Amino acid sequence: MSLQFFSPKSYDSNGAIFIDTGISAGFPSPADDFRETRISLDEELILNKEATFFAKVSGQSMIGAGLDDNDLLVIDRSLEPEHNKIAVCFLDGEFTVKRLKVKNGEVWLQPENPNYPIIQITEENNFVIWGIVTNVIKRV
């Protein structure tokens, strides 16, 4: 799995229109009133702009976690890595995204696809936890 990284752009925007009453997946009622407000995805998805990056997923190893090929990940480098978090890691010269498993001082990288092996991190590995995935943006 490879990742293509991007930095958030700085731009002035009032945000997109946000309908805060919910959207019915059934039959809409023409009598429903709704209020339009504006929402900024930067404000919703980015906690620390200086430490946040985006990356596109390439590969199938995390499909069980809902991370599909070409999804856009929001990655925060300021968050502490913790057991069971999904992390972007630099492992032996390549970036990968996996679920962190930490137990008894050992670290494992768990794919979310049974066709891929669990990776045990050892002292022989060149390993850095680069950031924690906070959100995924998908095309539908």
Side-chain angles (χ1 to χ4, degrees), residues 66-131:
L67 306 183
D68 298 308
D69 203 38
N70 287 319
D71 283 352
L72 189 62
L73 304 178
V74 181
I75 305 156
D76 191 332
R77 296 193 71 195
S78 70
L79 297 177
E80 288 294 320
E82 296 177 17
H83 174 72
N84 229 24
K85 294 286 186 181
I86 296 176
V88 171
C89 303
F90 188 75
L91 176 63
D92 297 331
E94 295 183 14
F95 282 99
T96 187
V97 59
K98 301 285 185 281
R99 189 171 301 279
L100 290 175
K101 297 295 182 177
V102 182
K103 186 175 180 181
N104 299 328
E106 294 183 335
V107 177
W108 301 78
L109 300 180
Q110 170 94 37
E112 297 281 341
N113 181 334
N115 296 324
Y116 291 81
I118 298 171
I119 302 166
Q120 181 179 14
I121 303 303
T122 66
E123 291 181 7
E124 288 79 36
N125 293 113
N126 178 9
F127 176 70
V128 175
I129 298 173
W130 197 79

Side-chain angles (χ1 to χ4, degrees), residues 11-77:
Y11 61 92
D12 292 329
S13 171
N14 292 332
I17 293 175
F18 174 62
I19 301 171
D20 64 357
T21 59
I23 301 214
S24 173
F27 295 101
S29 168
D32 285 342
D33 290 331
F34 65 90
R35 186 182 74 199
E36 286 183 5
T37 57
R38 296 227 171 236
I39 187 171
S40 164
L41 290 180
D42 282 356
E43 290 175 13
E44 292 294 318
L45 301 178
I46 298 174
L47 299 175
N48 183 346
K49 187 173 183 176
E50 299 304 317
T52 299
F53 293 85
F54 300 101
K56 278 195 177 180
V57 175
S58 175
Q60 301 292 315
S61 72
M62 293 297 288
I63 58 173
L67 306 183
D68 298 308
D69 203 38
N70 287 319
D71 283 352
L72 189 62
L73 304 178
V74 181
I75 305 156
D76 191 332
R77 296 193 71 195

